[in-house]
Structures are given as C-alpha cells and as structure tokens.
C-alpha cells in the first residue's frame, strides 16, 4: 500500500465524531474511518517501520470501565512503536490535523525509578538536558506527567529538578492541517520529526527500557 497523504475527509470525520460520539454515528461512518483514516495511517507506518521498527495502531475504541466519560470512541487515531514497550515514536491524526512525537510514555514504578536515576547521574543527566533543550529549540513541546511536588529525597536545588519531577517524557510537534498533509510529503515530515527524536529515544531505551 502506497502512502499518498491524509485526505481532508479524515479531519472532517473526527470533527463529526466529536459532535456525535455514538454507536449509531460510528456504524454509519465506519467505512469512512477505515478508508480515510486507518488505511492511510497504516500505509504511513509501513513506510516508516524499516527505519524505526515495528509500529502498532491503537484501537479506536475507548476503555470506559474506569472513566466518567462513557463516550465509546477515541476522537483521534494514534500509532506508537520503537525499541521497547512505551519507548519510541508516536504519530496521531485528529480533527486538528497531524501530530508527531515520541519519547517515553509508559511509566511503571520501575521505569520511573530508572528514569530518575538516569536524570540524577552527573553524566547521563546533563546528556538528557542537552537533548531536551535541543528539541525545545527546534519547536518541540515537552510533556512529562510531572508530580505536583518534587519526588521524595530529591533536594530543592537539584540542577535537573524539572526533569526529576517527570514520570514520563514525551516531545511533540503539532503540524495541524498544512497544505502538504494531503500529499505524500507528509511522510517526509513525520520521518524528519522522528529522526530528530531518535537521540532521545536511544537515551530512553538505554537508561529506562521496558517495564
């Protein structure tokens, strides 16, 4: 399957789903989801996997068992893959357009502990600061699911306190709906974004790893 870009109908589909997140709407428009959202994203990740490793698309159905929000369907389609579980590269399509990013998204207690050990280390910690600062300078947003206060045992004057507070570390570029979104060059933009993230993904894979 050749990636030809993301059609405008894909964004329209998610705008409509946001307005009517119901089984009736989904059933009536499932073929739109399959042809305009899922198939183009599958074609995109097929092109990316030889360089970045296996990438899986998330299911479109929400897990509502423990949520007050009982709407049954996700209002975006994402895919994630990389060198370890929860470590690697992410791409997402929704009503706003395209987002690409990556890093460390799962956070078991062991992973968080290893992450903070890496940040605390006076060799690997500054390496991570440099990676994050470079990505910020290149227009990436940084998210880390931070704790409200500093972690237990971490001094208030720790030189990398911001990163020590994080329980995950993801970086994103929100592209929105540019002219190139519906063209094959969307692949180049995602690939370039992921290549910029690769040093961070490698640091995370080495110092955090899987659960």
């Amino acid at each position: 399957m050749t990636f030809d870009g993301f059609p405008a109908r894909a964004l329209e589909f998610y705008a409509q789903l946001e307005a009517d997140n119901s089984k009736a709407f989904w059933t009536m428009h499932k073929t739109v989801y399959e042809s305009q959202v899922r198939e183009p994203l599958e074609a995109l990740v097929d092109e990316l996997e030889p360089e970045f490793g296996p990438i899986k698309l998330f299911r479109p159905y929400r897990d509502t068992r423990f949520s007050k929000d009982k709407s049954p369907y996700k209002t975006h389609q994402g895919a994630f893959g990389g060198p370890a579980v929860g470590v690697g590269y992410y791409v997402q399509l929704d009503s706003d357009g395209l987002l690409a990013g990556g890093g460390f998204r799962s956070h078991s207690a062991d992973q968080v502990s290893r992450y903070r050990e890496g940040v605390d280390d006076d060799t690997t910690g500054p390496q991570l600061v440099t990676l994050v600062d470079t990505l910020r300078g290149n227009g990436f947003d940084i998210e880390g699911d931070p704790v409200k206060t500093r972690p237990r045992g971490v001094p208030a004057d720790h030189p990398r306190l911001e990163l020590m507070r994080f329980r995950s570390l993801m970086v994103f570029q929100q592209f929105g709906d540019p002219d190139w979104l519906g063209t094959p060059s969307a692949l180049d933009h995602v690939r370039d974004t992921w290549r910029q993230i690769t040093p961070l993904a490698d640091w995370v894979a080495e110092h955090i790893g899987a659960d």
Side-chain angles (χ1 to χ4, degrees):
M1 186 185 302
T2 302
F3 176 73
D4 296 320
F6 292 106
R9 184 68 183 91
L11 278 61
E12 295 171 1
F13 167 80
Y14 277 117
Q16 293 172 331
L17 183 61
E18 289 172 2
D20 183 8
N21 197 316
S22 67
K23 184 176 181 179
F25 174 86
W26 183 266
T27 300
M28 185 176 297
H29 296 86
K30 187 175 181 180
T31 56
V32 175
Y33 163 76
E34 294 288 351
S35 64
Q36 306 296 298
V37 176
R38 190 171 187 89
E39 289 180 7
L41 191 57
E42 287 176 336
L44 177 78
V45 301
D46 283 348
E47 298 273 7
L48 293 166
E49 283 186 330
E51 180 173 349
F52 298 99
I55 303 162
K56 292 185 177 181
L57 271 66
F58 292 113
R59 289 165 51 85
Y61 311 106
R62 295 184 64 251
D63 184 352
T64 62
R65 291 173 298 172
F66 308 107
S67 174
K68 292 181 180 179
D69 180 3
K70 298 301 182 182
S71 54
Y73 306 103
K74 297 174 184 176
T75 54
H76 63 272
Q77 177 63 61
F80 194 97
V85 176
V87 176
Y89 307 92
Y90 181 70
V91 61
Q92 174 182 298
L93 191 71
D94 60 19
S95 63
D96 292 326
L98 183 68
L99 175 150
F104 156 49
R105 70 179 297 272
S106 66
H107 45 80
S108 69
D110 287 344
Q111 282 183 311
V112 174
S113 178
R114 291 194 297 269
Y115 163 75
R116 288 181 176 150
E117 288 173 2
V119 175
D120 190 44
D121 185 277
D122 287 335
T123 298
T124 59
Q127 292 172 355
L128 181 61
V129 170
T130 298
L131 293 172
V132 170
D133 287 348
T134 298
L135 290 166
R136 275 197 175 114
N138 290 337
F140 284 83
D141 295 320
I142 313 296
E143 295 183 7
D145 188 23
V147 295
K148 293 182 180 179
T149 59
R150 67 179 184 274
R152 182 179 301 175
V154 176
D157 62 350
H158 194 288
R160 294 175 291 280
L161 182 59
E162 177 195 13
L163 292 175
M164 290 292 285
R165 292 177 63 234
F166 286 174
R167 291 175 291 191
S168 63
L169 181 58
M170 292 289 291
V171 298
F172 299 104
Q173 279 195 337
Q174 176 68 62
F175 294 111
D177 183 15
D179 292 341
W180 48 257
L181 186 61
T183 74
S185 67
L187 169 64
D188 298 325
H189 287 274
V190 175
R191 181 188 287 120
D192 178 66
T193 299
W194 284 8
R195 285 174 175 170
Q196 291 183 68
I197 293 169
T198 294
L200 174 64
D202 289 345
W203 187 97
V204 171
E206 179 179 356
H207 298 291
I208 300 174
D211 288 349

